Amino acid sequence: MQLVIRRYRPSDKDPVLALFSISFREHIGPCFQKAMTSPLYLAITLALGVTGYLLGSVLGAVVLPGAWVGLVYFCCHEHYAGFIREKLQTDMQDITGNYLSRPDDCFWVAEAEVDGRAQIVGMVAVVAKQSGKERHGELFRMVISSSCRRVGLGFRMAQTVIDFCKERGFSKVVLKTSSMQTAAVALYTKLGFSYVLSHTETLGSVWFQTMAKVSILKMEKHL
Ligand SMILES: CC(C)(COP(=O)(O)OP(=O)(O)OC[C@H]1O[C@@H](n2cnc3c(N)ncnc32)[C@H](O)[C@@H]1OP(=O)(O)O)[C@@H](O)C(=O)NCCC(=O)NCCS
């Protein structure tokens, strides 16, 4: 497969937005499964089933836990769907304006030749941040298409960000990810990122994030 990593062009917008949305929606199912199989949620489901039965009937034993399971699914769904909606209405709505109008920010795409056609199969962005006298880069929007994973492309994209930040004399690269994004955490760890702290920061609604049992992780790599 022929692969090229290049700067984003306005004509990439539709495939980039589609890839971004699909890749973050992928987390909904595993997130729901992980939440529902946690000891706490299993206990709540069981307790609601017993309570429903004692209060009413066999129907109650199904309806109460069913409503709870539905609520948990809704929260997992909204945690990711809300994140996607928000990003599509903010930075991703104008990628050129938000990521390519300053020389120390950038947005790259990975383009592959698939069946004779060029396709966008990955993306990553960096934004320069000032903290006191130091400048660092924040990595955003790391996504690789499911058909191109585990061949080293995510590593190359992240390395592109690291090299870009090194060239500019930035002190470090920072990023946020979540406890559900285990592939991303493994990738960043392999690249030498370490946890800053597993903190209580939220991305989107606190309510959905708490119910979905997702925690936000902050990682950084000193350059
Ligand atoms: C995270 C993601 C970008 C990784 O991309 P990728 O191209 O598959 O990663 P690479 O092939 O470069 O993998 C590099 C290393 O990362 C780790 N890694 C990547 N995917 C992994 C997985 N599914 N399980 C365990 N480790 C994984 C491995 O250490 C791997 O090295 P190895 O293949 O020699 O074992 C990709 O899975 C993705 O787009 N996920 C959905 C979107 C997302 O969660 N983005 C992160 C936002 S913070």
Side-chain angles (χ1 to χ4, degrees):
M1 186 164 53
Q2 287 233 326
L3 252 171
V4 52
I5 296 174
R6 60 162 175 80
R7 273 167 70 94
Y8 169 90
R9 298 179 197 132
S11 58
D12 301 325
K13 186 172 183 183
D14 289 347
V16 161
L17 296 189
L19 179 59
F20 170 73
S21 304
I22 291 167
S23 297
F24 278 90
R25 281 186 169 273
E26 273 175 30
H27 297 303
I28 297 170
C31 179
F32 171 64
Q33 199 180 356
K34 190 161 177 247
M36 281 315 304
T37 52
S38 69
L40 176 65
Y41 283 15
L42 283 175
I44 293 174
T45 312
L46 188 66
L48 287 172
V50 172
T51 310
Y53 182 72
L54 294 176
L55 285 178
S57 59
V58 176
L59 187 66
V62 173
V63 170
L64 264 187
W68 160 249
V69 171
L71 175 68
V72 174
Y73 182 80
F74 175 74
C75 292
C76 295
H77 181 276
E78 276 310 296
H79 175 65
Y80 288 100
F83 171 81
I84 295 165
R85 267 197 312 272
E86 188 206 320
K87 299 307 165 198
L88 292 182
Q89 285 163 12
T90 53
D91 62 307
M92 298 296 275
Q93 188 166 35
D94 178 12
I95 295 173
T96 307
N98 289 315
Y99 290 103
L100 295 169
S101 58
R102 289 172 298 272
D104 292 341
D105 302 343
C106 201
F107 195 108
W108 295 267
V109 294
E111 191 178 61
E113 189 96 359
V114 183
D115 299 330
R117 275 183 49 235
Q119 276 187 22
I120 300 298
V121 295
M123 72 188 77
V124 71
V126 68
V127 172
K129 303 265 165 120
Q130 189 85 35
S131 45
K133 280 186 183 163
E134 276 197 335
R135 289 201 319 147
H136 66 265
E138 182 155 2
L139 181 153
F140 292 99
R141 312 288 167 259
M142 165 66 84
V143 175
I144 302 298
S145 160
S146 55
S147 60
C148 295
R149 290 191 190 152
R150 295 314 296 265
V151 292
L153 185 53
F155 191 93
R156 280 179 60 191
M157 297 292 277
Q159 192 61 55
T160 302
V161 170
I162 293 167
D163 293 344
F164 180 88
C165 291
K166 269 188 188 157
E167 278 164 26
R168 280 154 181 77
F170 292 176
S171 59
K172 60 185 177 180
V173 183
V174 304
L175 59 89
K176 287 185 197 117
T177 185
S178 80
S179 52
M180 275 311 299
Q181 285 158 289
T182 48
V185 171
L187 164 67
Y188 301 137
T189 304
K190 186 175 179 180
L191 278 154
F193 283 80
S194 51
Y195 294 110
V196 175
L197 64 162
S198 182
H199 52 141
T200 51
E201 188 174 331
T202 55
L203 287 182
S205 153
V206 187
W207 167 245
F208 293 142
Q209 186 179 310
T210 308
M211 284 293 290
K213 293 178 113 10
V214 174
S215 47
I216 302 304
L217 309 170
K218 194 170 177 187
M219 301 182 86
E220 67 180 19
K221 177 183 169 69
H222 286 273
L223 302 177

